[in-house]
Structure formats: C-alpha cells, structure tokens
C-alpha cells in the first residue's frame, strides 16, 4: 500500500509540473517539489496540498485529480456498503438512481434500477495527446448487453462475447450524440463512457435507462458538464391512449410509432422515431408529452448529485475562450476575418458550387493571416504570448469556423438571406433516374443540388439477412445498407490528414444515413409476408448537404426498380434550425429568443446549424424522424415542432419530383416478384432429393426462391427473378415441380430421357419425370419402344389421372383421334366381313355359353388343362 501511495503522489506531481510548465510556472513547482522531497523520509514522497496553478492554461480547463485521501474516503465508504439513492416513477414502475457503491475508481458512476432491469454507467476523464488540436472532447462510448444478464451462454465454441451488435452500437451512438451538446466551450479532454446492462427480465427498454444512467454519472463526477438530461422511451398510437412514457418492450413492438426522446429542462437534444406512417400532429403531440415527462427524472438526478457532492472535488470553472485559442487574440481575428467571410457569402448564389465556395474561403483565410502579419500581431506557435492579443495559426484555425457561424446567422436574422441566395423554404433542384445500371437487380440515381447518390439494390432469400446474437435472441436485419463515402465527394485528394479528420467530426449527420435508410424503408415493404432480405449499396458520389435525403428517395426507387411492390415510396427532407444566439465557444451560454427554419441546407449550413432534423415520410405519413443537436444546448420543443411541420411540407414537394420516375417504373411490363400457392403435401416434390429440384430451378432461371410454411392449410412459394422475362419461366417451373398444374386433362411438352422395354421415362419442363407406357404411345400396336420413340425426342402428353399409388398417368395417343374402322372387309381372304374376335364371340353366344372344340383348342395351347377344367366348372 505504501508503494502504491508513493506512485500515486509522484504521478500527481508530474501532472502538475507538466501543466505548470505550459503556464510558465515550472520553476516554482520544481522548487516546491525539491523542497518537499528533501524533507520527506527516504523512499516516500510527501502528500501534496498545493493548489492547482494551471487554471490559466491554454486549454482553458484543468481536470483536478482526486486527492488520495478523498479516494481513500470513497473506498472506505464503498467498502462499508454506503450508497446514495434517489427515486422516480414512470408508467407505474418504480425506478431509482444509485451511486457510491459500484465502480469506485471512476470519476463518476451510477446504477439505474427499473424493475428487474439494472444498468450501470461509469465515466472517466483524462488529458490527451495534442489537446490544443481539438475544439471538442474526444468521447468514446461503449455500451454492452451481455448475455449473462438474461442467464444465457453465448454461442460458438469459445463461449465468449463478441463485438457489439447493431443494437448496442446504435445505443452507444445515441449516448454520444445526447451528451456532446452539454459540454462547455473549451473542454477538450478524453472522456470514456462505459455502460453495461447488468441484468434484465426483458420488460423494460434499456436505451433510455442507459442515457439516464450516463447523465447521473456525469452529474456525480467532477467533469464539467451542463447537465442533467433525461430520456424517455415512447410508444405512440392514433388511439385515445396517446403516448406511453417509459414503454415496455411489448408496448414498443405493438405501437404504430415508437422512439426515444432526450432533453433538458427547457430544450430538446435528440429524438429518434420509427414506425408506420403517422401524421405530423401525432409526432408533435408526442414530443410535447415527452418534454413534460422529463422534470421528475431531472429532479431525481439533481437530488442524487446534491447528496453525492460531499465526496467529490470542486468542479472546474468554465473558460472564457476556445480550446487551443488565446481569447485576447480571438477579437483581433474576428475583426479582420468577418468582413471577408461576409463578402463571400453575400456574393454567393445558387450557381456557386461547394468547390468554388471552399476555394474562396481558403483564399480569404490566407488573406487574414497576411493582414495580421502586416499589423504585427501574428506570431509562430513557439512564440505565443497569452494575453498579448497576438494570434498564431492555431488561433486562426479555431476562430475561422466561429466567424462563418456568426455571418450565417447575421444574414439570416438581419437580411433574411441564405449564403446561396435561396429563401428559407426553397429547395434545390432534384432529379431521379431509375434502372440506370444493367445486370444488377435494381438501381437508381438521385441528385439534390450538388449532392449525388447512386443506390444499388440486391434481393436475397430470408437466409441472407444479417444475423447477430442479442439478449432477446437472434437479431435479424431484413434491410441492410452499405454506405460508401467516396473521397471525391468531399473534393479531397487524400483520405488522411488533419483536415480530413476535422471534416468527418463536423459531418456527424452523415453517419446516420445508413441507419435512417433502414428505419425509413422498413415500413414501406409489402404488407403481406415478405421473406426476402434487401441490401442497399449507397455510393455517395458528391456531397454538399442533404445527402441522406437524396439517398432515401433513390433507395426507394431502387427497390421499385428491383420489382419490390412497396406499399408507398418514401422521400426525405432535411431541416436546419438556426438561433440568433448560437451556443458558441465565445459565450458558451444560451439566451436565444428567435429562430429560423431552413429547408434543404447545404453542407456548410448543416455544420453551422443548432439542430438538424431528418424527416422520412410517404404521402400518407411520417415513417422515421431523427433530431440531432449540432451546436451546444439544443432548442425548445416548440421550435422542434415548427421545424417538423416545415419538414413535412418539404417531403410532399419532394414526392412531386419523384412522380415521373415512379410512373416509369410502374409502366414496365412484367414483375420480378411472384408467388405460387402449393398444398403442404407437395412441398417435398418442389424440394426434391437433397434439394435437387429447387436448386435446378434456381440454376436455370437465376431466381431467388423461398418457401413460407406458416399457413396451416398450404405453403406459399415466393420467388424473385432478376430478369423480368425469367419470372414467368420460374413460375411455370414451380407449378410443374409441385404438380399443381399436372391436373387431369392438362397438356405438357416433355422430353424422352430414358428408354425401357415397356415404355419411356419423360421429363417435364419443371424437372419432374413420369412414365409413358408403351400402350399409351399410339392407337396401333407398337412392337418395340424404339420403333415409336428415340432418346431426346420431344413430344406432347396429356395427363389422364393418377393411379392408386398417386403416380401420374400420362398418354400421348389421347391427343390424337383413333383411326377410322371400315364397315366391312375380307379378313385374310376368308370371305368373312367380321373381325376374328367378333366371330369368336358370335360362336360363343350360339353355343349357349359353351366353347366349341376350335376355341377350346386354342386355349388348350395356352393354358394348362387343369386350369381350363376348373374355369369350365
């Protein structure tokens, strides 16, 4: 223990010395360190109680480490089993927050209990490498749902947990997006959030519990954070019940629209909904109801933090400037840069491309450096002097984005203008083209302004769906999206470097494209059972804002081009919300009273907006909604509902631009998707021995075939043919293989595949075979099969029925009329006009039923005498 204490004190001193060296205080700390070292006993370092002298560091924040005595106090409290709790109730379920017992060495931890579902969250913060190169914290979120929480073992030979599945990755992304807008300006440390669901009975949804646990953990830590936030899981319906808060898993599955809402006491931070087509009024009411349900959760977290404050160190005060920027130099940079940026944006128009705008801004940035140099207030980074007002290149880099944000807002609220000359509700021209690529199942090209997306759709059987293991069993993903963001889409020549990293961080909404497509398109698949997997390959060819909206419309058209009978096509619209007082790094506080809603924002407007909405809807209602806070603080829920109404109007206008392409798809002859109803007792015929029959149909036609046996009285065979002209052949092959078309009286073309003495084996086009008996070939006598047929010969047969064993009986002579029989003729020159059997029958009748000697002689030659005698008796 003594050695551990020495190491901890040494690390504390080294940390203080490193921070003080950046503030010019290294000498004082070194002298203090040497004096304490000489006075301390050998082999042990003395405890340090000197205050943190790095409050004026460039980063603007100093993370105060816990003193060893405080850690020991916490550990002692936790060993004794003491814990701080607060309670709240929602949807009739008692929930509680608890801290102080689990994860004692983290900066903050919280255990949320909701029934038998327990979720533990812990947060840890530390300084990172090259922190001056970051304007925001480096947040890493890990969310896991171990199978041990439901009493199950993972699959596989190793019986170990794999990587995060889709649901875990989705929840981790929601946590990161929700907490990011509440970090104060200038905080740029490394932050790790670890969330684990300890146990669950499968009734409570864990996503909202995880968000509440993370918020409470941050409130109980010394990390600067403008929380708390609260999250509720909602189930919405058109019935009188309205919205259900903290809905259970069963209620979420039965609801027409479900999702999660995250907000503070007066602002909305994040919303994510999906479901069937719902009206904008339903969603607006749900958002307002969710905001009204947050105060009790927020109050419980505040009570927990107030009780826990005695065991934590004092929180760090907020900084007045940027991370990596001298506040005194920021004013000089803004004075020089603002007029140049305003001149570029004022001269911009809808015809100016993103490349031209970026080139003009880059040139203006170089002019700012030159002008600062001419004034004598620009220095190299190594010669920086804080508080002198002299700027360096890092200062210019970090202020440049704030200048653009201020100019955009001034133009919007003072001049009612956008940087490309459009009005607030004006949408850029959009065009769509379906069936652009040959060979593939389906394809569509969508273009929104300068954003261009090519979507390719591929249809597979039900076994091709993505599968992963979760706490509720096997997770199947029917709609899969692969997003390929090309380097050329961002007008860059490389995929590495600092500029590329910053651009990816700014374009947070681009990570939602794949997830938004999966949610928005799921509700448009055929209403009946659709046992196919759909994979969409999205190639982002050019990006200038609203890429997700162009991809949504193109993906819906690509499904239609593949032959999927969607219920309705979907379209998307992106909405950006600007406030007159941004939560910038200069002030870090809210106070906005005015807002503007902008439809179809370009790339720069998306990055500078306060909140970004992505609305996916059919002409009947909204199928998906995602709200993301880009800047700090969020917006009131009333602003959110206004933006939702504007987005709904924009989606309807987008549907009008898609009509021509939709009519083009609907006018194509034939369908690629089809189904055949088959009796349950004939499914085995379709499959064949070891799948030989169905595999032959797949190989010959190239079709995707799947069998749905969920119906009790019949099976549904569904097929997808990549080529429209092969769809009819696929259906005929299925009907022939199952025999539903081989009814009595039907005629089919067959091929001789085997010759035997008593007949020939013929093959139907479906691949099934049957025996054509030699007596059913011709009305006249056939001595040998080779006299009438040859191997490989094609002919027509007629189904005459089935025998007692169920075998098919076919005939070729039934298709032809029997030859006409002459009324009288001389049989072998005997002068008789009767046929031999007619003469025999006449003599038999004349003898009173007794055979004459001539007839008996004939029979004696063929049948033993005893048998004849027995037959006569």
């Amino acid at each position: 223990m003594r050695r551990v204490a020495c190491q901890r004190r040494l690390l504390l001193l080294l940390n203080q010395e490193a921070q003080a060296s950046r503030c010019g205080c290294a000498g004082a700390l070194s002298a203090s360190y040497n004096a304490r070292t000489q006075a301390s006993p050998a082999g042990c370092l003395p405890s340090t109680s000197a205050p943190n002298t790095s409050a004026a560091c460039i980063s603007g924040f100093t993370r105060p480490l816990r003193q060893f005595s405080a850690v020991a106090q916490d550990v002692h409290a936790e060993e004794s089993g003491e814990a701080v709790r607060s309670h709240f109730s929602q949807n009739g379920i008692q929930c509680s927050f608890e801290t102080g017992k689990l994860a004692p060495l983290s900066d903050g931890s919280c255990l949320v209990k909701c029934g038998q579902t327990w979720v533990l969250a812990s947060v840890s913060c530390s300084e990172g490498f090259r922190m001056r190169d970051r304007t925001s914290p480096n947040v890493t979120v890990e969310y896991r749902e171990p199978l041990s929480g439901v009493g199950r073992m993972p699959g596989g030979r190793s019986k170990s947990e794999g990587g995060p599945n889709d649901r875990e990755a989705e929840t981790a992304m929601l946590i990161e997006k929700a907490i990011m807008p509440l970090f104060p300006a200038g905080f740029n440390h490394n932050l790790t959030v670890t969330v684990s669901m300890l146990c669950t009975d499968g009734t409570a949804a864990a996503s909202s519990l995880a968000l509440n646990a993370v918020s409470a953990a941050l409130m109980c830590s010394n990390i600067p954070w403008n929380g708390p936030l609260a999250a509720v899981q909602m189930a919405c319906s058109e019935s009188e019940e309205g919205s259900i808060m903290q809905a259970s898993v069963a209620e979420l599955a039965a609801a027409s629209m479900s999702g999660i809402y995250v907000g503070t006491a007066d602002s909305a931070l994040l919303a994510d909904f999906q479901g069937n087509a719902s009206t904008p009024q339903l969603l607006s009411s749900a958002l307002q109801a969710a905001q009204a349900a947050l105060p009790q959760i927020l109050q419980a977290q505040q009570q927990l933090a107030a009780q826990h404050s005695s065991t934590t160190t004092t929180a760090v005060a907020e900084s007045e400037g940027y991370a990596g920027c001298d506040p005194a130099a920021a004013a000089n940079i803004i004075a020089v840069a603002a007029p140049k940026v305003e001149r570029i944006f004022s001269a911009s128009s809808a015809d100016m491309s993103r490349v031209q705008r970026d080139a003009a801004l880059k040139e203006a940035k170089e002019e700012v450096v030159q002008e600062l140099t001419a004034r004598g207030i620009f220095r190299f980074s190594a010669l920086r002097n804080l508080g002198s007002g002299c700027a360096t290149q890092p200062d210019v880099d970090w202020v440049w984005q704030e200048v653009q944000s201020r100019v955009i807002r001034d133009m919007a609220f003072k001049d009612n203008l956008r940087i490309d000359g459009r009005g607030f509700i004006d949408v850029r021209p959009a065009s769509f083209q379906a069936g652009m690529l040959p060979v593939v199942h389906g394809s569509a090209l969508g273009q929104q302004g300068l954003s261009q997306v090519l979507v390719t759709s591929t249809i597979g059987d039900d076994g091709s769906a993505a599968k992963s293991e979760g706490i509720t069993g096997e997770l199947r993903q029917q709609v899969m999206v692969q997003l390929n963001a090309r380097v050329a889409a961002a007008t860059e020549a490389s995929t590495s470097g600092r500029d590329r990293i910053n651009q990816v961080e700014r374009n947070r909404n681009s990570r939602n494209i794949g997830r938004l497509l999966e949610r928005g398109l799921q509700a448009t698949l055929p209403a009946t059972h659709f046992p196919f997997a759909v994979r969409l390959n999205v190639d982002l060819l050019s990006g200038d804002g609203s890429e997700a909206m162009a991809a949504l419309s193109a993906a819906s058209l690509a499904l239609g081009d593949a032959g999927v009978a969607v219920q309705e096509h979907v379209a998307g619209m992106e909405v950006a919300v600007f406030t007159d007082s941004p939560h910038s790094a200069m002030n870090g506080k809210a106070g906005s009273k005015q807002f503007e809603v902008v439809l179809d924002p370009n790339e720069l407007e998306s990055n500078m907006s306060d909140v970004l909405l992505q609305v996916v809807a059919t002409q009947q209602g909204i199928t998906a909604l995602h709200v993301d806070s880009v800047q700090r603080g969020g917006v009131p829920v009333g602003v959110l509902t206004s933006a939702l109404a504007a987005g709904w109007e924009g989606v309807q206008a987008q549907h009008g631009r898609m009509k021509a392409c939709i009519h083009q798809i609907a006018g194509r002859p034939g369908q690629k998707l089809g189904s055949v109803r088959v009796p349950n007792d004939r499914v085995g015929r379709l499959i064949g021995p070891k799948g030989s029959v169905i595999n032959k149909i797949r190989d010959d036609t190239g079709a995707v075939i799947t069998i749905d046996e969920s119906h009790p009285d019949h099976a549904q065979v569904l097929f997808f043919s990549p080529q429209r002209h092969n769809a009819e052949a696929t259906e005929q092959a299925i009907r022939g293989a199952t025999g539903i078309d081989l009814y009595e009286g039907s005629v089919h073309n067959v091929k001789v595949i085997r010759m035997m003495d008593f007949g020939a084996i013929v093959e139907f086009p479906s691949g099934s075979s049957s025996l054509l008996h030699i007596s059913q070939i011709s009305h006249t006598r056939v001595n040998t099969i080779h006299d009438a047929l040859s191997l490989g010969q094609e002919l027509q047969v007629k189904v005459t029925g089935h025998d007692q064993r169920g075998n098919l009986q076919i005939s070729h002579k039934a298709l032809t009329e029997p030859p006409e029989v002459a009324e009288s003729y001389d049989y072998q020159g005997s002068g008789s006009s009767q046929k031999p059997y007619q003469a025999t029958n006449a003599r038999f009748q004349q003898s009173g039923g007794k055979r004459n000697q001539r007839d008996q002689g004939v029979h004696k030659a063929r049948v033993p005498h005893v048998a004849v005698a027995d037959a006569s008796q």
Side-chain angles (χ1 to χ4, degrees):
M1 292 295 296
R2 184 171 183 176
R3 181 178 180 182
V4 173
C6 294
Q7 291 178 352
R8 188 181 294 274
R9 293 170 185 169
L10 177 60
L11 290 174
L12 178 63
L13 288 173
L14 293 177
N15 180 66
Q16 291 181 351
E17 184 175 359
Q19 293 174 349
S21 63
R22 293 194 295 268
C23 304
C25 305
L29 271 179
S30 300
S32 176
Y33 171 78
N34 294 332
R36 288 193 298 268
T37 305
Q38 293 175 0
S40 62
C44 181
L45 291 176
S47 61
T48 59
S49 58
N52 194 339
T53 59
S54 59
C57 289
I58 297 174
S59 65
F61 285 103
T62 301
R63 174 183 175 273
L65 300 177
R66 294 174 183 261
Q67 301 293 336
F68 178 72
S69 58
V71 174
Q73 180 181 357
D74 290 348
V75 173
H76 176 72
E78 288 143 7
E79 288 178 351
S80 62
E82 299 178 2
V84 179
R85 297 182 181 88
S86 62
H87 304 272
F88 69 96
S89 174
Q90 275 196 345
N91 197 17
I93 302 176
Q94 292 294 327
C95 305
S96 65
F97 292 103
E98 179 180 319
T99 187
K101 184 175 183 180
L102 302 179
L105 295 182
S106 61
D107 288 327
S109 64
C110 180
L111 175 65
V112 176
K113 300 178 181 179
C114 186
Q116 295 185 354
T117 302
W118 294 16
V119 178
L120 174 65
S122 61
V123 293
S124 301
C125 183
S126 64
E127 293 185 353
F129 177 69
R130 296 187 65 181
M131 293 176 57
R132 289 183 56 249
D133 293 340
R134 298 200 303 258
T135 58
S136 61
N138 182 20
V139 179
T140 302
V141 179
E142 181 180 359
Y143 174 79
R144 300 306 299 268
E145 295 178 348
L147 296 179
S148 59
V150 292
R152 285 201 359 247
M153 283 191 178
R157 299 179 62 182
S158 61
K159 302 300 179 184
S160 61
E161 301 279 356
N165 56 39
D166 293 337
R167 185 165 59 188
E168 293 171 338
E170 175 184 325
T171 305
M173 183 181 66
L174 292 178
I175 294 174
E176 179 184 353
K177 288 188 173 186
I179 65 177
M180 283 291 289
L182 297 181
F183 285 108
F187 179 70
N188 60 351
H189 290 56
N190 291 334
L191 183 68
T192 300
V193 179
T194 305
V195 188
S196 178
M197 189 188 65
L198 302 182
C199 63
T200 181
D201 57 357
T203 57
S207 299
S208 59
L209 300 180
L211 277 160
N212 292 327
V214 172
S215 175
L218 287 170
M219 291 293 294
C220 295
S221 69
N222 59 346
I223 300 172
W225 193 61
N226 298 325
L229 60 80
V232 290
Q233 203 89 31
M234 302 179 59
C236 312
S237 63
E238 301 284 355
S239 62
E240 297 180 356
E241 297 179 358
S243 301
I244 303 176
M245 302 301 162
Q246 294 300 124
S248 63
V249 176
E251 291 170 338
L252 292 173
S256 59
M257 178 70 70
S258 62
I260 190 170
Y261 177 86
V262 185
T264 61
D266 55 357
S267 299
L269 296 175
L270 185 143
D272 191 76
F273 288 85
Q274 69 168 349
N276 301 326
S278 301
T279 61
Q281 293 76 14
L282 175 64
L283 271 178
S284 298
S285 301
L287 293 175
Q288 294 174 356
Q291 182 64 36
L294 299 184
Q296 57 177 329
I297 305 177
L298 298 173
Q299 184 179 2
Q301 295 183 43
Q302 291 169 350
Q303 293 176 357
L304 184 75
Q307 298 175 12
H308 187 68
S309 59
S310 60
T311 60
T312 59
T313 57
T314 305
V316 181
E318 292 187 9
S319 171
E320 295 297 333
Y322 298 102
C325 176
D326 183 5
N332 295 332
I333 300 173
I334 292 175
V336 177
K340 300 181 182 296
V341 175
E342 185 176 357
R343 183 173 61 254
I344 295 174
F345 289 167
S346 301
S348 300
S349 63
D351 298 332
M352 176 178 284
S353 66
R354 172 186 172 182
V355 179
Q356 295 172 337
R357 189 189 311 116
D358 291 346
L361 290 173
K362 183 178 179 180
E363 183 178 356
K365 187 176 179 181
E366 295 175 353
E367 293 177 357
V368 169
V369 175
Q370 295 174 2
E371 188 169 343
L372 292 174
T373 305
R375 294 184 182 183
I377 54 176
F378 185 82
R379 298 183 179 180
F380 294 108
S381 300
L383 302 177
R384 163 180 280 184
N385 185 10
L386 296 177
S388 64
C390 295
T392 61
Q393 188 62 47
D395 297 331
V396 176
D397 294 340
W398 304 139
V399 175
W400 188 250
Q401 185 175 355
E402 173 64 20
V403 171
Q404 297 178 61
S405 177
R406 287 191 173 189
V407 172
I408 290 176
R409 283 170 169 77
D410 290 342
M411 293 178 62
F413 290 98
K414 296 180 180 179
D415 304 329
N416 293 328
L417 293 175
R418 295 173 65 174
I419 61 175
D420 56 2
R422 289 183 291 154
F424 293 143
I425 61 174
D426 293 340
V427 179
R428 292 174 293 180
S431 61
F432 303 97
Q433 179 183 354
M436 182 179 178
L437 300 179
V439 181
V440 299
H441 291 179
S443 63
L445 178 68
Q447 185 160 350
Q448 186 87 18
L450 293 176
S451 297
Q452 191 178 67
V453 179
L454 178 63
V455 182
T456 305
S457 59
T458 306
I459 311 297
D461 56 10
D462 193 40
S464 302
K467 304 179 186 66
S468 60
E469 191 174 14
I471 57 174
T472 58
E474 185 182 57
L475 302 177
R476 300 175 63 86
Q477 188 175 355
Q478 189 177 19
V479 180
M480 301 160 285
V481 178
Q482 174 71 40
L483 176 64
N484 303 316
R486 298 177 179 269
V487 178
T491 65
E492 296 179 354
S494 65
T495 58
S496 60
R498 173 176 152 185
D499 293 337
R500 176 70 178 179
I501 296 174
N502 291 338
Q503 183 182 7
V504 172
E505 292 178 353
R506 291 194 302 267
N507 290 323
R508 295 174 57 201
N509 59 311
S510 63
R511 294 181 294 179
N512 275 340
I513 294 180
R515 184 168 166 269
L516 197 65
L517 262 66
E518 295 170 2
R519 291 173 171 262
L521 294 172
Q522 184 68 45
T524 67
L525 295 179
T528 57
H529 186 55
F530 185 72
F532 294 99
V534 178
R535 184 180 182 274
L536 298 170
N537 188 74
V538 182
D539 285 321
L540 180 60
L541 306 181
S542 176
D544 191 15
S546 297
E547 298 92 350
M549 306 303 101
L552 273 164
S553 302
S556 181
L557 295 173
L559 285 179
D561 184 56
V564 179
V566 295
Q567 301 181 45
E568 278 192 274
H569 286 278
V570 296
M573 182 55 59
E574 198 166 277
V575 185
V577 179
F578 290 92
T579 59
D580 57 351
S581 178
H583 303 268
S584 64
M586 292 300 298
N587 49 34
K589 296 179 175 61
S592 172
K593 295 182 179 180
Q594 298 181 4
F595 69 93
E596 287 290 351
V597 175
V598 173
L599 293 184
D600 186 24
N602 57 34
E603 188 266 346
L604 190 58
E605 290 174 333
S606 298
N607 295 332
M608 301 302 171
S609 62
D610 290 77
V611 173
L612 202 63
L613 283 82
Q614 294 170 331
V615 184
V616 184
T618 64
Q619 290 184 326
Q620 304 300 323
I622 298 174
T623 60
L625 170 68
H626 183 79
V627 181
D628 187 14
S629 295
V630 182
Q631 302 293 337
R632 296 178 177 88
V635 295
V637 67
V639 178
L640 206 61
T641 56
S642 301
L644 178 61
W648 169 255
E649 297 296 333
V651 170
Q652 300 308 310
Q654 192 80 334
H655 275 290
R657 299 180 178 91
M658 296 171 59
K659 280 186 178 180
C661 194
I662 294 174
H663 292 329
Q664 178 186 358
I665 295 174
R668 294 176 181 172
Q671 292 292 332
K672 295 183 177 182
L673 282 173
S675 63
V676 179
R677 180 176 292 187
V678 178
N680 288 329
D681 57 349
R682 300 193 182 183
V683 174
R685 297 184 181 182
L686 175 61
I687 299 175
K690 298 182 180 180
S692 58
V693 177
I694 193 172
N695 288 333
K696 186 177 186 304
I697 298 176
R698 288 169 176 168
D699 296 338
D700 294 343
T701 62
V704 178
I705 304 175
T706 181
I707 303 174
D708 177 21
E709 297 182 276
S710 58
H711 303 279
D713 55 344
H714 68 275
Q716 198 78 10
V717 181
L718 298 101
F719 63 90
F720 167 79
S721 179
Q723 305 298 328
R724 294 182 186 272
H725 61 271
N726 286 340
E728 184 177 354
T730 304
E731 182 176 358
Q732 291 179 355
I734 294 173
R735 290 181 176 274
T738 55
I740 59 176
D741 281 347
L742 300 179
Y743 53 88
E744 187 174 354
S746 60
V747 180
H748 306 274
N749 294 322
V750 296
K751 181 180 180 180
V752 179
I753 60 174
R754 186 180 176 187
M755 308 283 286
M756 293 178 291
D757 294 340
F758 52 87
I761 302 298
V762 296
E763 183 182 32
F764 290 88
S766 60
S768 60
S769 58
S770 181
L771 171 65
L772 177 61
H773 197 266
I774 190 172
S775 63
Q776 299 296 326
I777 297 176
S778 175
H779 290 283
T780 61
R781 178 179 176 82
V782 178
N783 295 325
T784 61
I785 191 67
H786 297 280
D787 295 341
L789 299 176
S790 60
L791 195 64
Q793 180 180 346
E794 295 183 356
L795 68 157
Q796 284 188 330
V797 296
K798 183 178 181 179
V799 178
T800 59
H802 295 78
D803 60 12
Q804 294 180 353
R805 297 182 178 180
N807 297 325
L808 189 66
Q809 291 183 339
I810 57 177
S811 174
H812 174 66
K813 70 178 184 180
L815 296 175
T816 61
E817 295 292 337
E820 296 182 359
V821 180
E823 295 183 358
S824 63
Y825 61 92
D826 184 6
Y827 180 70
Q828 295 182 353
S830 61
S832 174
S833 61
Q834 290 183 329
K835 297 180 180 179
Y837 68 88
Q838 292 176 340
T840 304
N841 291 340
R843 290 193 299 270
F844 181 76
Q845 293 175 359
Q846 292 175 1
S847 64
K850 295 181 179 180
R851 298 181 181 273
N852 55 24
Q853 188 67 23
R854 178 182 174 184
D855 296 333
Q856 291 179 3
V858 175
H859 285 278
K860 286 178 181 179
R862 297 171 55 188
V863 184
H865 177 72
V866 177
V868 175
D870 293 341
S872 63
Q873 294 177 1

